[in-house]
Amino acid sequence: MPPEVIAQRDPELDARGRTDLRTLEAGLDALQTGDVSSRSGVRRILGGVVPPVILVIVLLLAWQLYTVVAHPRPDLAPGPLDVLGSFGSAWTSGRLPVAVLTSLQRGVLGFLIAVAIGTPLGLLLAEVRWLRRALGPLISGLQVLPSVAWVPAAILWFGLTDATVYFVVLMGAVPSITNGLVSGVEQVPPQLRRVGTVLGASRLQLATRVILPAALPGYLAGLKQGWAFSWRSLMAAEIITVGGTIGFGLGSMLQQSRELADLAAVLTTIITILAIGIIVELLAFAPVERRLLRRRGLLVATAVGR
Amino acid sequence: MPPEVIAQRDPELDARGRTDLRTLEAGLDALQTGDVSSRSGVRRILGGVVPPVILVIVLLLAWQLYTVVAHPRPDLAPGPLDVLGSFGSAWTSGRLPVAVLTSLQRGVLGFLIAVAIGTPLGLLLAEVRWLRRALGPLISGLQVLPSVAWVPAAILWFGLTDATVYFVVLMGAVPSITNGLVSGVEQVPPQLRRVGTVLGASRLQLATRVILPAALPGYLAGLKQGWAFSWRSLMAAEIITVGGTIGFGLGSMLQQSRELADLAAVLTTIITILAIGIIVELLAFAPVERRLLRRRGLLVATAVGR
Amino acid sequence: MTVAGLGKRFAAGGAPVLDDVTLTIGSGEFVCLLGASGCGKSTLLNIIAGLERPTSGTVEVASGNAAVMFQESALLPWLTARRNVELALELRGVRRDRRRNEALALLDVVNLADAAEKRPHELSGGMRQRVALARALAQDRQVLLMDEPFAALDAITRDLLHEQLELVWRQTGRTIVFVTHNVREAARLGQRVLLMSSRPGRIVNEWRIDDTGPRRIESPEVATLAIEITDQLRKELRRNAA
Amino acid sequence: MTVAGLGKRFAAGGAPVLDDVTLTIGSGEFVCLLGASGCGKSTLLNIIAGLERPTSGTVEVASGNAAVMFQESALLPWLTARRNVELALELRGVRRDRRRNEALALLDVVNLADAAEKRPHELSGGMRQRVALARALAQDRQVLLMDEPFAALDAITRDLLHEQLELVWRQTGRTIVFVTHNVREAARLGQRVLLMSSRPGRIVNEWRIDDTGPRRIESPEVATLAIEITDQLRKELRRNAA
Amino acid sequence: GCAGPAGGQPTAAVAASELHLGYFANVTHAPALVGLDKGLFAKELGRTKISTQVFNAGPATIEALSAGAIDAAFIGPSPAINSYIKSKGASVVVVAGAATGGAALVVRSGITSAAELKGTTLATPQLGNTQDVALRSWLATQGYKTSITGGGDVTISPSENADTLKLFEAGTIDGAWLPEPWVSRLVLEAHAHVLVDEASLWPNGAFPTTVLVVNKSFLYAHPQTVKALVAGEVDSVNWLNAHPTEAAAAINEQLVAVAGKGLSAPVIERALANVKFSVDPQAQAFPTLITHAVSAGTGTQGSITGLFDLSLLNSILTASGGTAVSAHGLGKE
Ligand SMILES: Nc1ncnc2c1ncn2[C@@H]1O[C@H](COP(=O)(O)OP(=O)(O)OP(=O)(O)O)[C@@H](O)[C@H]1O
Ligand SMILES: Nc1ncnc2c1ncn2[C@@H]1O[C@H](COP(=O)(O)OP(=O)(O)OP(=O)(O)O)[C@@H](O)[C@H]1O
Ligand SMILES: [Mg+2]
Ligand SMILES: [Mg+2]
């Protein structure tokens, strides 16, 4: 019996059935996709930001009170105001901006080079099975090695130059990025691959339309960790490799402040390093990640401050 | 109608029903919990270990070949045999064992102190909501800060003593451990808490019998990361803080080898650091984690080398 | 068990999830609570179980607390089937030396004596729910609240568990409140079927079925009732389309 | 579509999962494949779909490849409902400028025109499966293979999707192979119901139902058939208890 | 448990059971090396045990003093000043001098005048140390701009002395302002030549190179111990000045014992020719050092009144018939 015959058998009953079904489904859909009333974004962020800010202020006040009341040795326990003054003078003298710019530039450049190396390597590992089985454990092993351990070797190879710094940054970041991509591809649900195949995708289409987009969250996590490792390794390298033709970064400033026995400047630099870490996380990675996860419904609408 | 009356209403039919049901359920259970034939453990581990080992051997051979054929400057590119020789002499001279023991002892002790501090702190944060909202972001922020940045401050406070090393290790490890515990408790399915409540558990019973065991995997992950951070921070601290009353650890050995421009010794030390990282991971954490996850069915029986 | 004028809102100014729910359930009764998803069945059950507080109205369970069974078995994954049941016994206050035997006896009730030493992940979904049933029985409460306990199971397993549950009910004389959105399941199991409306959740209809002993889900009486309930339910759905 | 002497083992020396499965399905037929879990239904379907290779035997699908629908909708989570359907059109080779309208038309077939710009996670389970159905239709293949497409849905939604699917089948005249372990679902939908045994999977029984137009799942004819099939199925289960 | 000096006579104060002394394995720290080698400190300290720690940079020494890991140290004047100012006078006290002179700017061949330094890279031992400050302030007098962040007309690259030798040999740097024996090593081993001898920049050629400092709290708690230490140092300096020929051997012996490696005879001879050993800390030079450090950007302005406590030294000197040294109004004499 050809399909047309079936379809036309009782057009009137059919039409009635359709309208009825349409109403029923609309009713059910309305019930099941109800308004998920969430707290407003601003209030949520405020709720997350206010308590730690208050805590920080309280801690600062307690610290200042301690320095005023207990009169500790100012070179061993400077007060918050001393640190603020040190920050001001480091900023106006131009030392701090130079250090921030140098370090940021190195960190970003090193990270980009690491991405440029780690991404194709990750793709290669994800695609070529025997390579992954052989090289994968080595790369995971490299992640265990503190990248600071490369500093002495790098100094011997490249001398006290920027190449040393970049080498150390790469040894820290590349394994993370590569591993992130590989595990991202590995975690693509096999179901999605099957769907692609069933829909008739070619090998290339499967890779570009299905696997890579699906592996994106894992890749992003790898990038984030890669940045964290870049920044850590950079600071370590800058602190250790002073002298030679190495430019003046935050690590150098830290080391310099130590040599001048200037604890206020050391704390200023530590706070700057922390601030940059948090700002990069908030400005560069968090929005991309949030957007990506939200589009996939992976972001549960929880309070920020949980 | 009292329940006994219902139960006795038709004992014969009841008994027949029971036996029939028993057979049916047994049949279904047999079908659904079939033998999950997995590859033997030994073969799986071999399959995971052999390819990287072969690769390492090939790389070593290529490296040796390069030094033999290209005759690079031996101080800039020692061959694997040079490194082996350097390892042998460092071992027999007693420098390497001393360094390994010192570093391991510091790493383990620092890690244990970090556990002793991070665990109660994590419990406190997990339990006290306002404290978590206020302190949680600060602790997460501290995780962003490279712990090497604390080295100069620690040196100013504690001088070139072991206290400096321990301080830096703690600043690296405590936030990881605390955060691991907090997020472990956070990730306990609310369902499990409800079950505990429904079963009539008191607050204390709920914590000890339900929440803590359920939070264990997250805590373990935090411990693992805490160890990695301990080890990284320790190496950084040892490289930077040479001199004073500081004992001779692997970081010191690295720095010393650099000062003697002895690349073979530097590579020996790097390999030792890597090996210790991998061994601690394999011997201390992997078995506990695997056992824990397997008991919860969270460990999918995948090949090691994937 | 009496529920009177129960109301519940989650947000202070939000729409009510439950509105003026009133019902009385006798001892030993098997009541099915039926409704589309999101209509507030779980909320009502949680309030009865004491896991949530009502915004208004009262709940009175004559026999004290109730045992609860959830959709996902919610077994503690690090304990074996036996130890899961034993935990319920322990928290009930059963002496240590009697727990083991009692747990094994309860597992035998659900035909799981052989699987006592397996952990939840080694069990199939149906077996897990049977362990959960044994655990709920271990609480030894007169009232058993069940929130879609079989929704995640395949149809064959579900049919068997219906028989299992009915057997347990007839043997122990528990009062059971069984939440589901499966009309046939409700018609198959319940002595009484309550239909809930959505937004706000109210009890809009009630059917009583004479208990003439175990009935099959394919039986004509179940089918007739199911058709009637389905038509009512669809009327509810259409109301929501507007 | 013809399947002849199909056998399948996963491990080289292991027990066969499928053994000598032979069946012929005519064009436009609606066949339900019924069996306990783990009996090899999915394996058989995957072999027909070309996702897996049989160890022995042949599969011949007259009209070329088949469209497939899985239990979890398997929509690409980063694409909206419309773009998910458009992807199928694109991979089929439909020109860019016609894709959008065609996708919207297909979504309208499953009453989802309004939700075209939503992403999968914003849709309910039933809506997701309807998008998956629209996507399967977009492949424009004569044969549609469905692997427990409604198993994860609640009963009310499932009943509606049965009607939806039947409507689509009647309108488009597709050949449908529908895998399930729900006896009533099979009896409600199929023109033919095939019962598979477990270990190894074989087709052990077959029922034909006269197509007298749409029937309700609660109807007596479905019930009678369901009772018969259930008894057979339980016989199979008992066999496994030994 | 030590009473303060309230009663004028610190009778309640007891000798410390142990004295922790820090110094560098370096020619400019010869009084420490010789004092230890010849047992001169031990002789004066009597029951008080002396334990030592070797440093290779001033900041680390100051850190150890601040952390209480050591009680006294031989150190360059700049870190001592820096610590004193930063701690508002709470950290250290200079109780005696040790060495003067022995620092110079050495450069590669081809640079013969200050005018040819533009665009070059020069090394110093460490940012803010005595030589670093000296180079920066001297460059300023020559009209060059420098920056502690590395920019300017002349790039100053603080590097470890051992690195400096290597960097100079490799041609990465063009010269360095260094203390002895590194001046001599660069001259004799790397063919550098002296462009500026620091002695030529100071009135009478006298500028402090090494001084003896003690923790202020230690001085209050154990004045007798400090006095014994100073007495040992006086003996040591006297021995050095009395036995110029044997000095080289004694110093080398300690260097080998501490650092594992000694210096070649020509290097140590050339070095000793440039360093003078004296217990006079040259207090008059300190205000100039501060001015230099401030203008170089490595120090902060502050008062160093009270930095010196030469009363113990002077009592020893006068008791043995010598002449007292002056604190030039910067502390007790
Ligand atoms: N904790 C909560 N906060 C806010 N709203 C809630 C909360 N829990 C449930 N709701 C809302 O209350 C309504 C009823 O939820 P409930 O879980 O009781 O429905 P249900 O009938 O059990 O649905 P289902 O059949 O899907 O389990 C839903 O609209 C839901 O969004
Ligand atoms: N990739 C595989 N490797 C090894 N064994 C497999 C594989 N896939 C399936 N099996 C086995 O083949 C048998 C049949 O599996 P299949 O998924 O076809 O069953 P099913 O009838 O679809 O079950 P369900 O109803 O649970 O979906 C099972 O015993 C399963 O363990
Ligand atoms: Mg619910
Ligand atoms: Mg299947």
Coordinates of all heavy atoms in Angstrom, one line a residue, chain A residues 31-32 34-37, chain B residues 194, chain C residues 8-11 15-18 35-46 52 71 147-148 179-181 196 198-199, chain D residues 154, ligand 1:
Chain A
L31 N 3.4 23.7 30.5 CA 3.6 23.3 31.8 C 5.1 23.0 32.1 O 5.6 23.3 33.2 CB 2.8 22.0 32.1 CG 1.4 22.2 32.5 CD1 0.8 20.8 32.8 CD2 1.4 23.0 33.8
Q32 N 5.7 22.3 31.1 CA 7.1 21.8 31.4 C 8.2 22.8 31.2 O 9.3 22.5 31.7 CB 7.3 20.5 30.6 CG 6.4 19.4 31.0 CD 6.7 18.1 30.2 OE1 7.3 18.2 29.2 NE2 6.2 17.0 30.7
G34 N 8.1 26.0 32.2 CA 7.7 27.1 32.9 C 8.8 28.1 33.2 O 10.0 27.8 33.0
D35 N 8.4 29.3 33.6 CA 9.3 30.3 33.9 C 10.2 29.9 35.1 O 9.8 29.6 36.1 CB 8.6 31.6 34.3 CG 7.6 31.4 35.4 OD1 7.2 30.2 35.6 OD2 7.1 32.3 36.0
V36 N 11.5 29.8 34.8 CA 12.5 29.5 35.8 C 12.8 30.9 36.4 O 13.8 31.5 36.0 CB 13.7 28.8 35.3 CG1 14.6 28.5 36.4 CG2 13.3 27.6 34.5
S37 N 12.1 31.3 37.4 CA 12.3 32.6 38.0 C 13.6 32.6 38.7 O 13.8 31.9 39.7 CB 11.2 33.1 38.9 OG 11.2 32.2 40.0
Chain B
R194 N 18.6 14.5 52.0 CA 17.2 14.2 52.3 C 17.0 12.8 52.8 O 16.3 12.6 53.7 CB 16.3 14.4 51.0 CG 16.5 15.8 50.4 CD 15.5 15.9 49.3 NE 15.1 17.3 49.4 CZ 13.9 17.7 49.0 NH1 13.1 16.9 48.4 NH2 13.5 18.9 49.1
Chain C
K8 N 1.4 26.4 49.5 CA 2.9 26.5 49.5 C 3.3 27.5 48.3 O 2.9 27.4 47.2 CB 3.5 25.2 49.2 CG 5.0 25.2 49.0 CD 5.8 25.3 50.3 CE 7.3 25.4 50.1 NZ 8.0 25.7 51.4
R9 N 4.2 28.5 48.7 CA 4.8 29.3 47.7 C 6.3 29.2 47.9 O 6.7 29.2 49.1 CB 4.5 30.8 47.9 CG 3.1 31.2 47.7 CD 2.9 32.6 48.3 NE 1.5 32.8 48.6 CZ 0.7 33.3 47.6 NH1 1.1 33.7 46.5 NH2 -0.6 33.5 47.9
F10 N 7.1 29.2 46.9 CA 8.6 29.1 47.1 C 9.1 30.5 47.2 O 9.8 30.8 48.2 CB 9.3 28.4 46.0 CG 9.2 26.9 46.2 CD1 8.3 26.1 45.4 CD2 10.0 26.3 47.1 CE1 8.2 24.8 45.6 CE2 9.9 24.9 47.3 CZ 9.0 24.2 46.6
A11 N 8.8 31.4 46.3 CA 9.2 32.8 46.5 C 8.1 33.6 47.3 O 6.9 33.2 47.2 CB 9.4 33.5 45.1
A15 N 3.9 32.9 42.5 CA 2.6 32.2 42.4 C 2.6 31.0 43.3 O 3.7 30.4 43.6 CB 2.5 31.7 40.9
P16 N 1.5 30.6 43.9 CA 1.5 29.5 44.8 C 1.7 28.2 44.0 O 1.2 28.0 42.9 CB 0.1 29.5 45.4 CG -0.7 30.3 44.4 CD 0.2 31.3 43.7
V17 N 2.5 27.3 44.5 CA 2.7 26.0 43.9 C 1.5 25.0 44.3 O 1.0 24.3 43.5 CB 4.0 25.4 44.3 CG1 4.2 24.0 43.9 CG2 5.1 26.3 43.6
L18 N 1.2 25.1 45.6 CA 0.1 24.3 46.1 C -0.9 25.3 46.7 O -0.6 26.3 47.2 CB 0.5 23.4 47.2 CG 1.4 22.2 46.8 CD1 1.8 21.4 48.1 CD2 0.8 21.4 45.8
G35 N -0.6 13.6 38.4 CA -0.6 14.9 37.9 C 0.5 15.1 36.8 O 1.5 14.3 36.8
A36 N 0.3 16.1 36.0 CA 1.4 16.4 35.0 C 2.6 16.8 35.7 O 2.6 17.2 36.9 CB 0.9 17.5 34.1
S37 N 3.8 16.8 35.0 CA 5.0 17.2 35.7 C 5.0 18.7 36.1 O 4.5 19.5 35.4 CB 6.2 16.8 34.9 OG 6.2 17.4 33.7
G38 N 5.6 19.0 37.2 CA 5.6 20.3 37.7 C 4.4 20.8 38.4 O 4.2 22.0 38.7
C39 N 3.4 19.9 38.7 CA 2.1 20.4 39.2 C 2.2 20.5 40.8 O 1.4 21.0 41.4 CB 1.0 19.5 38.8 SG 0.9 17.9 39.7
G40 N 3.3 20.0 41.3 CA 3.5 20.1 42.8 C 3.3 18.8 43.6 O 3.3 18.9 44.8
K41 N 3.4 17.7 42.9 CA 3.2 16.4 43.6 C 4.4 16.2 44.6 O 4.2 15.9 45.7 CB 3.3 15.3 42.6 CG 2.2 15.4 41.5 CD 2.3 14.2 40.5 CE 3.5 14.1 39.7 NZ 3.8 15.2 38.8
S42 N 5.6 16.4 44.1 CA 6.8 16.2 45.0 C 6.7 17.2 46.1 O 7.1 16.8 47.3 CB 8.1 16.4 44.2 OG 8.2 15.5 43.2
T43 N 6.3 18.4 45.8 CA 6.3 19.4 46.9 C 5.3 18.9 48.0 O 5.6 19.0 49.2 CB 5.8 20.7 46.3 OG1 6.7 21.1 45.2 CG2 5.9 21.8 47.4
L44 N 4.1 18.5 47.6 CA 3.1 18.0 48.5 C 3.7 16.8 49.4 O 3.6 16.8 50.6 CB 1.9 17.5 47.8 CG 0.8 16.9 48.6 CD1 0.4 17.9 49.7 CD2 -0.4 16.6 47.8
L45 N 4.4 15.9 48.7 CA 4.9 14.7 49.4 C 6.0 15.2 50.4 O 6.1 14.6 51.5 CB 5.5 13.8 48.3 CG 5.3 12.3 48.7 CD1 3.9 11.9 48.6 CD2 6.2 11.4 47.8
N46 N 6.9 16.1 49.9 CA 7.9 16.6 50.8 C 7.4 17.2 52.0 O 7.9 17.1 53.1 CB 8.9 17.5 50.1 CG 9.7 16.8 49.1 OD1 9.9 15.6 49.2 ND2 10.3 17.5 48.1
E52 N 9.8 19.7 53.9 CA 9.6 21.2 53.6 C 8.5 21.6 54.5 O 7.7 20.9 54.9 CB 9.3 21.4 52.1 CG 10.5 21.9 51.4 CD 10.3 21.8 49.9 OE1 9.6 22.6 49.3 OE2 10.9 20.9 49.3
Q71 N 12.6 8.9 43.5 CA 12.6 8.4 42.1 C 14.0 7.7 41.8 O 14.0 6.5 41.4 CB 12.5 9.5 41.1 CG 12.8 9.1 39.7 CD 12.3 10.1 38.7 OE1 11.7 11.1 39.0 NE2 12.7 9.9 37.4
D147 N 7.7 8.7 45.7 CA 7.7 9.8 44.7 C 8.2 9.3 43.4 O 9.4 9.2 43.2 CB 8.6 11.0 45.2 CG 8.4 12.2 44.4 OD1 7.6 12.1 43.4 OD2 9.0 13.2 44.7
E148 N 7.3 8.9 42.5 CA 7.6 8.3 41.2 C 8.7 7.3 41.3 O 9.7 7.4 40.6 CB 8.1 9.4 40.3 CG 7.0 10.5 40.1 CD 7.5 11.5 39.1 OE1 8.1 11.2 38.1 OE2 7.1 12.7 39.3
V179 N 3.1 8.7 44.2 CA 3.1 9.8 43.3 C 3.5 9.3 41.9 O 4.5 8.5 41.8 CB 4.0 10.9 43.7 CG1 4.3 11.8 42.5 CG2 3.3 11.7 44.8
T180 N 2.8 9.6 40.8 CA 3.1 9.2 39.5 C 2.5 10.1 38.5 O 1.6 10.9 38.8 CB 2.6 7.7 39.3 OG1 3.0 7.3 38.0 CG2 1.1 7.6 39.5
H181 N 3.1 10.1 37.2 CA 2.2 10.7 36.2 C 1.8 9.6 35.2 O 1.4 10.0 34.1 CB 2.8 11.9 35.5 CG 4.3 12.0 35.5 ND1 5.2 11.0 35.2 CD2 5.1 13.1 35.8 CE1 6.4 11.5 35.3 NE2 6.4 12.7 35.7
M196 N -4.3 15.8 40.4 CA -3.9 17.1 40.8 C -3.9 18.0 39.5 O -3.5 17.6 38.5 CB -2.5 17.1 41.4 CG -2.5 16.9 42.9 SD -0.9 17.0 43.6 CE -0.7 18.8 43.7
S198 N -2.5 21.7 37.7 CA -1.3 22.4 37.7 C -1.5 23.9 37.9 O -2.5 24.4 37.5 CB -0.5 22.2 36.4 OG -0.3 20.9 36.1
R199 N -0.6 24.6 38.6 CA -0.6 26.0 38.7 C -1.9 26.6 39.0 O -2.6 27.2 38.2 CB -0.1 26.6 37.3 CG 1.3 26.2 37.1 CD 2.0 26.9 36.0 NE 3.3 26.3 35.8 CZ 4.0 26.5 34.7 NH1 3.5 27.2 33.7 NH2 5.1 25.9 34.6
Chain D
D154 N 8.1 11.1 30.6 CA 7.0 10.7 31.5 C 5.8 10.2 30.7 O 5.7 10.4 29.5 CB 6.7 11.9 32.4 CG 6.0 13.0 31.7 OD1 6.8 13.8 31.2 OD2 4.8 13.0 31.5
Ligands
LIG1 N1 13.0 24.6 45.7 C1 12.1 25.2 44.8 N2 12.2 26.6 44.6 C2 11.4 27.2 43.7 N3 10.5 26.5 43.0 C3 10.3 25.2 43.2 C4 11.2 24.5 44.1 N4 10.8 23.2 44.0 C5 9.8 23.1 43.1 N5 9.5 24.3 42.6 C6 8.5 24.6 41.6 O1 7.3 24.1 42.1 C7 6.5 23.5 41.1 C8 6.2 22.1 41.5 O2 7.3 21.3 41.7 P1 7.3 19.7 42.0 O3 8.7 19.2 42.0 O4 6.5 19.6 43.3 O5 6.5 19.1 40.8 P2 6.2 17.6 40.5 O6 4.7 17.5 40.3 O7 6.8 16.7 41.5 O8 6.8 17.5 39.1 P3 7.5 16.2 38.4 O9 6.4 15.3 38.0 O10 8.3 16.7 37.3 O11 8.4 15.6 39.5 C9 7.4 23.5 39.8 O12 6.8 24.5 39.0 C10 8.7 23.9 40.3 O13 9.3 24.8 39.4

